[in-house]
Amino acid sequence: MMRVTALLGAGASVDIGGPLSVDLTYRVRARVQEIYDPKTQNINRVPFLNEVSTKLDNYFSPEKSHFEDIFYALESLSSFTRGWRPRTIKNSNLI
C-alpha cells in the first residue's frame, strides 16, 4: 500500500475544500511522536514537532512558524546529521 501526499500552491486548497496552511500547521504541531528507548524498552511519547515549532516561533517572532518552516528545519537537520555517519567521509588513514 502506498500513500501519496500532494501539497498544492497557495490558494489551491481553498477551491477544492482542502485544509489551509494554518490547518496543516496545527495538525503537525498537535502530533505527538512515539520514540522507542532501547535501554528501558519503553515507548516514550514526545511532542518533538511542537518543540521544534516553538523554537522556530521564537526565531521568527513576532510571526509564527508554519508547516513548511517545520519541514525545512527537519530536512536541514537530517542533512546535517548525515555527515556524522562513519561512511560519509573517507577515512584519512586510508589516504
Side-chain angles (χ1 to χ4, degrees), residues 38-91:
K39 290 181 182 177
T40 63
Q41 297 185 348
N42 291 329
I43 295 176
N44 299 316
R45 295 177 51 81
V46 179
F48 178 75
L49 292 177
N50 190 51
E51 291 178 21
V52 170
S53 303
T54 300
K55 297 291 185 190
L56 290 171
D57 287 347
N58 292 337
Y59 179 77
F60 291 130
S61 182
E63 295 180 33
K64 297 282 186 187
S65 62
H66 53 83
F67 76 95
E68 291 172 328
D69 298 319
I70 299 164
F71 289 137
Y72 177 76
L74 295 174
E75 182 181 48
S76 296
L77 287 170
S78 175
S79 178
F80 176 71
T81 59
R82 278 197 172 93
W84 299 349
R85 296 180 184 159
R87 292 178 287 169
T88 303
I89 58 173
K90 293 180 181 176
N91 185 340

